[in-house]
Amino acid sequence: MSVNCSLWQENSLSVKRFAFAKFSEVPGECFLLFTLILLMFLVSLTGNALITLAICTSPALHTPMYFFLANLSLLEIGYTCTVIPKMLQSLVSEARGISREGCATQMFFFTLFVTLFFGSGSINYLRPKSSHSPGMDKLLALFYTAVTSMLNPIIYSLRNKEVKAALRRTLGLKKVLTMNR
């Protein structure tokens, strides 16, 4: 049995772009979301970049644990830089779409991220169907994309005395972080 591939290709559809659903129909809410997400994005980039810089420049932090923390920070920088700018664009413009290639890139990083944080990502799949709502899906996507990557540097590294000391040395400051624990 043989398949005529030329006929199959002629009848197939080719998707070029995907459309995003709006977060809100109210322009003021979109601007507020844009501002909050942009601030979280900048905090995430700054925190993760500082953690990576401190670990790479401090020989005392060249241990397996800090190696994985630096990789986590780099992963989060890559992930947030892949997803958040397109999200910000869709909040303030009428261009609410993404190319097939852009979507594939985002899906790759999103899948990688959910795999690393399987516990928190599983909420999406384990909740009952009766509590399912598109609004909650959007909120969860926003939370996993912006909030988690913003808080991880604080949770995993900035509470650590060795990392805080390395940051002070790297930046040439006496007191950078005053979080005591």
XYZ file of all heavy atoms in Angstrom, residues 4-60:
439
model
N 0.068 8.706 -1.621
C 0.487 9.755 -2.539
C 0.699 11.035 -1.737
O -0.263 11.728 -1.391
C -0.573 9.948 -3.632
C -0.104 10.907 -4.697
O 0.843 11.675 -4.492
N -0.776 10.866 -5.838
N 1.949 11.347 -1.415
C 2.259 12.501 -0.567
C 1.909 13.824 -1.224
O 1.571 14.782 -0.546
C 3.736 12.496 -0.176
S 4.136 11.141 0.925
N 1.970 13.920 -2.547
C 1.671 15.194 -3.195
C 0.204 15.569 -3.014
O -0.130 16.723 -2.801
C 2.041 15.150 -4.682
O 1.275 14.166 -5.344
N -0.704 14.585 -3.072
C -2.118 14.886 -2.836
C -2.364 15.265 -1.379
O -3.162 16.141 -1.069
C -2.986 13.677 -3.206
C -3.158 13.398 -4.690
C -3.980 12.124 -4.875
C -3.846 14.568 -5.373
N -1.684 14.601 -0.483
C -1.840 14.873 0.935
C -1.415 16.307 1.246
O -2.080 17.032 1.961
C -1.019 13.861 1.720
C -1.224 13.901 3.194
C -2.269 14.418 3.878
C -0.342 13.364 4.172
N -2.097 14.247 5.212
C -0.923 13.605 5.425
C 0.876 12.710 4.110
C -0.317 13.216 6.606
C 1.461 12.316 5.286
C 0.872 12.565 6.517
N -0.290 16.733 0.682
C 0.210 18.091 0.930
C -0.715 19.144 0.328
O -0.888 20.216 0.887
C 1.621 18.248 0.374
C 2.635 17.463 1.177
C 4.013 17.464 0.532
O 4.167 17.849 -0.617
N 5.003 17.022 1.291
N -1.339 18.867 -0.806
C -2.254 19.826 -1.424
C -3.493 20.048 -0.577
O -4.056 21.130 -0.572
C -2.662 19.331 -2.812
C -1.559 19.426 -3.843
C -1.977 18.812 -5.163
O -3.183 18.587 -5.386
O -1.080 18.544 -5.980
N -3.949 19.045 0.123
C -5.173 19.142 0.911
C -4.939 19.583 2.352
O -5.887 19.761 3.087
C -5.905 17.798 0.912
C -6.458 17.471 -0.451
O -6.811 18.364 -1.207
N -6.499 16.186 -0.770
N -3.698 19.731 2.778
C -3.445 20.080 4.177
C -3.529 21.589 4.384
O -3.367 22.371 3.454
C -2.068 19.575 4.614
O -1.070 20.282 3.920
N -3.815 21.968 5.599
C -3.868 23.381 5.973
C -2.553 23.781 6.605
O -1.923 23.001 7.291
C -4.998 23.620 6.979
C -6.416 23.375 6.473
C -7.399 23.542 7.620
C -6.751 24.331 5.347
N -2.179 25.016 6.419
C -0.951 25.515 7.012
C -1.283 26.725 7.876
O -1.744 27.749 7.372
C 0.047 25.905 5.915
O 1.204 26.445 6.497
N -1.086 26.595 9.156
C -1.353 27.685 10.084
C -0.118 28.577 10.149
O 0.985 28.095 10.402
C -1.695 27.136 11.488
C -1.880 28.269 12.475
C -2.923 26.259 11.425
N -0.315 29.871 9.909
C 0.802 30.815 9.925
C 0.883 31.585 11.238
O 1.956 31.925 11.698
C 0.674 31.822 8.768
C 0.653 31.185 7.405
C 2.017 30.759 6.993
C 1.976 30.231 5.561
N 3.044 29.382 5.239
N -0.268 31.914 11.820
C -0.308 32.717 13.049
C -1.402 32.196 13.977
O -2.392 31.650 13.531
C -0.582 34.190 12.745
C 0.517 34.840 11.937
C 0.362 36.341 11.822
N 0.448 37.070 13.062
C 1.554 37.340 13.733
N 2.710 36.907 13.292
N 1.528 38.041 14.830
N -1.195 32.399 15.280
C -2.193 32.071 16.291
C -2.644 33.369 16.948
O -1.842 34.287 17.137
C -1.602 31.140 17.357
C -1.193 29.803 16.813
C 0.123 29.562 16.442
C -2.121 28.788 16.672
C 0.510 28.332 15.939
C -1.742 27.549 16.167
C -0.426 27.325 15.794
N -3.905 33.448 17.326
C -4.449 34.650 17.965
C -4.498 34.447 19.478
O -4.801 33.359 19.965
C -5.844 34.941 17.437
N -4.172 35.507 20.225
C -4.262 35.488 21.687
C -5.642 35.959 22.119
O -6.221 36.852 21.505
C -3.251 36.456 22.327
C -1.824 36.034 22.190
C -0.846 36.981 21.934
C -1.429 34.728 22.342
C 0.477 36.618 21.823
C -0.113 34.347 22.230
C 0.843 35.299 21.967
N -6.146 35.403 23.200
C -7.369 35.906 23.811
C -7.026 37.156 24.614
O -5.938 37.257 25.183
C -7.979 34.845 24.720
N -7.947 38.106 24.661
C -7.723 39.336 25.418
C -7.806 39.041 26.915
O -8.606 38.229 27.356
C -8.771 40.385 25.071
C -8.638 40.947 23.688
C -9.690 42.021 23.471
C -9.556 42.643 22.107
N -10.558 43.700 21.920
N -6.954 39.727 27.691
C -7.053 39.605 29.145
C -8.287 40.340 29.630
O -8.941 39.926 30.563
C -5.816 40.199 29.831
C -4.713 39.206 30.021
C -3.661 39.132 29.132
C -4.737 38.329 31.077
C -2.646 38.217 29.295
C -3.733 37.405 31.261
C -2.676 37.348 30.362
N -8.572 41.483 29.015
C -9.702 42.295 29.435
C -10.152 43.165 28.270
O -9.362 43.530 27.410
C -9.298 43.178 30.620
O -10.330 44.071 30.941
N -11.425 43.515 28.263
C -11.968 44.427 27.248
C -11.813 45.879 27.680
O -11.994 46.784 26.887
C -13.453 44.113 27.010
C -13.717 42.735 26.446
C -13.189 42.569 25.030
O -13.126 43.567 24.283
O -12.830 41.436 24.670
N -11.476 46.121 28.946
C -11.348 47.476 29.485
C -9.914 47.952 29.291
O -8.979 47.349 29.838
C -11.725 47.498 30.988
C -11.606 48.904 31.550
C -13.126 46.936 31.192
N -9.698 49.046 28.507
C -8.332 49.519 28.259
C -7.558 49.862 29.536
O -6.365 49.610 29.622
C -8.544 50.769 27.392
C -9.886 50.589 26.778
C -10.698 49.810 27.765
N -8.200 50.428 30.534
C -7.522 50.765 31.784
C -6.976 49.544 32.495
O -5.886 49.580 33.067
N -7.726 48.440 32.461
C -7.258 47.201 33.074
C -6.058 46.641 32.324
O -5.119 46.124 32.931
C -8.385 46.167 33.116
C -9.450 46.463 34.136
C -10.562 45.422 34.123
O -10.462 44.415 33.388
O -11.536 45.635 34.862
N -6.061 46.753 31.003
C -4.924 46.271 30.202
C -3.677 47.089 30.521
O -2.582 46.534 30.625
C -5.243 46.343 28.712
S -6.398 45.072 28.172
N -3.828 48.415 30.670
C -2.669 49.246 30.999
C -2.140 48.905 32.389
O -0.934 48.824 32.595
C -3.015 50.736 30.910
C -1.856 51.622 31.231
C -0.808 51.767 30.331
C -1.785 52.285 32.447
C 0.275 52.563 30.624
C -0.701 53.084 32.750
C 0.333 53.231 31.842
N -3.041 48.680 33.355
C -2.621 48.296 34.707
C -1.889 46.956 34.670
O -0.820 46.805 35.277
C -3.825 48.220 35.645
C -3.540 47.773 37.074
C -2.636 48.781 37.777
C -4.835 47.594 37.843
N -2.442 45.985 33.954
C -1.767 44.686 33.812
C -0.411 44.848 33.137
O 0.564 44.229 33.539
C -2.629 43.730 32.995
C -3.658 42.922 33.755
C -4.544 42.144 32.781
C -3.001 41.969 34.720
N -0.346 45.679 32.091
C 0.912 45.931 31.404
C 1.957 46.453 32.383
O 3.097 45.972 32.422
C 0.713 46.935 30.262
C 1.991 47.346 29.591
C 2.527 46.577 28.570
C 2.672 48.487 29.991
C 3.708 46.944 27.950
C 3.853 48.858 29.382
C 4.372 48.084 28.365
N 1.577 47.433 33.192
C 2.503 48.033 34.153
C 2.968 47.011 35.186
O 4.166 46.904 35.469
C 1.840 49.239 34.849
O 1.387 50.165 33.851
C 2.791 49.938 35.790
N 2.046 46.242 35.748
C 2.408 45.244 36.757
C 3.306 44.151 36.171
O 4.304 43.762 36.780
C 1.146 44.614 37.354
C 0.316 45.510 38.260
C -0.996 44.820 38.631
C 1.095 45.887 39.500
N 2.963 43.665 34.994
C 3.760 42.605 34.372
C 5.139 43.125 33.994
O 6.144 42.432 34.170
C 3.024 42.013 33.157
C 1.764 41.286 33.625
C 3.925 41.058 32.380
C 0.829 40.886 32.505
N 5.204 44.369 33.486
C 6.507 44.953 33.142
C 7.383 45.082 34.381
O 8.578 44.738 34.346
C 6.329 46.320 32.476
C 7.617 47.048 32.103
C 8.421 46.243 31.087
C 7.304 48.440 31.574
N 6.820 45.536 35.491
C 7.596 45.646 36.734
C 8.078 44.272 37.210
O 9.240 44.117 37.594
C 6.775 46.336 37.820
C 6.562 47.838 37.628
C 5.578 48.378 38.664
C 7.877 48.584 37.680
N 7.187 43.280 37.172
C 7.590 41.930 37.580
C 8.665 41.379 36.646
O 9.603 40.714 37.088
C 6.381 40.993 37.614
C 5.445 41.266 38.767
S 4.129 40.042 38.913
C 3.039 40.519 37.600
N 8.552 41.662 35.356
C 9.536 41.230 34.373
C 10.903 41.834 34.675
O 11.919 41.134 34.692
C 9.052 41.642 32.975
C 9.996 41.322 31.854
C 10.382 40.024 31.580
C 10.475 42.331 31.035
C 11.232 39.726 30.529
C 11.324 42.055 29.984
C 11.702 40.750 29.729
N 10.937 43.132 34.962
C 12.204 43.803 35.260
C 12.818 43.298 36.563
O 14.031 43.102 36.649
C 12.002 45.315 35.290
C 11.626 45.941 33.942
C 11.301 47.426 34.108
C 12.710 45.720 32.910
N 11.980 43.071 37.581
C 12.482 42.521 38.845
C 13.040 41.122 38.622
O 14.115 40.776 39.131
C 11.364 42.514 39.919
C 11.757 41.693 41.132
C 11.025 43.941 40.340
N 12.334 40.310 37.834
C 12.788 38.953 37.543
C 14.121 38.957 36.807
O 15.045 38.226 37.173
C 11.733 38.231 36.702
O 12.199 36.987 36.284
N 14.234 39.778 35.767
C 15.490 39.846 35.020
C 16.640 40.316 35.901
O 17.726 39.731 35.870
C 15.347 40.798 33.828
C 14.584 40.286 32.629
C 14.540 41.356 31.541
C 15.193 39.024 32.081
N 16.402 41.351 36.678
C 17.452 41.891 37.542
C 17.880 40.861 38.585
O 19.076 40.605 38.760
C 16.971 43.177 38.234
O 16.568 44.115 37.230
C 18.058 43.779 39.089
N 16.913 40.265 39.267
C 17.236 39.286 40.306
C 17.973 38.076 39.763
O 18.996 37.656 40.312
N 17.477 37.531 38.664
C 18.115 36.347 38.092
C 19.488 36.667 37.513
O 20.417 35.865 37.627
C 17.210 35.711 37.031
C 16.070 34.943 37.658
O 16.289 34.052 38.466
N 14.851 35.303 37.313
N 19.641 37.832 36.910
C 20.956 38.222 36.379
C 21.959 38.426 37.517
O 23.124 38.020 37.407
C 20.837 39.488 35.538
N 21.527 39.047 38.609
C 22.424 39.246 39.755
C 22.846 37.925 40.386
O 24.008 37.755 40.760
C 21.767 40.156 40.800
C 21.709 41.636 40.461
C 20.890 42.387 41.500
C 23.101 42.213 40.338
N 21.905 37.006 40.499
C 22.233 35.690 41.057
C 23.267 35.002 40.175
O 24.277 34.469 40.669
C 20.964 34.813 41.178
C 19.990 35.418 42.179
C 21.317 33.379 41.542
C 20.533 35.654 43.546
N 23.042 34.995 38.871
C 23.981 34.357 37.938
C 25.345 35.028 38.012
O 26.376 34.348 38.068
C 23.426 34.415 36.509
O 22.133 33.795 36.495
C 24.337 33.695 35.536
N 25.360 36.342 38.019
C 26.614 37.089 38.094
C 27.374 36.770 39.380
O 28.580 36.508 39.348
C 26.341 38.595 37.999
C 27.549 39.509 38.072
C 28.420 39.330 36.835
C 27.109 40.953 38.211
N 26.678 36.774 40.506
C 27.332 36.499 41.790
C 27.914 35.090 41.827
O 29.033 34.884 42.295
C 26.343 36.687 42.938
N 27.165 34.122 41.321
C 27.638 32.737 41.354
C 28.820 32.540 40.407
O 29.800 31.867 40.754
C 26.480 31.763 41.037
C 25.470 31.787 42.198
C 26.986 30.350 40.790
C 24.175 31.051 41.920
N 28.758 33.151 39.245
C 29.847 32.973 38.259
C 31.136 33.685 38.675
O 32.226 33.229 38.335
C 29.395 33.469 36.895
S 28.166 32.392 36.148
N 31.014 34.800 39.389
C 32.211 35.574 39.724
C 32.781 35.267 41.099
O 33.847 35.764 41.441
C 31.929 37.091 39.635
O 30.873 37.420 40.548
C 31.541 37.491 38.221
N 32.103 34.454 41.882
C 32.584 34.138 43.213
C 33.058 32.686 43.288
O 32.238 31.758 43.250
C 31.479 34.371 44.247
O 31.923 34.018 45.522
N 34.369 32.465 43.416
C 34.882 31.093 43.485
C 34.300 30.289 44.649
O 34.174 29.070 44.547
C 36.392 31.283 43.657
C 36.682 32.647 43.114
C 35.452 33.462 43.396
N 33.923 30.950 45.730
C 33.351 30.241 46.876
C 32.002 29.597 46.532
O 31.573 28.662 47.207
C 33.187 31.197 48.054
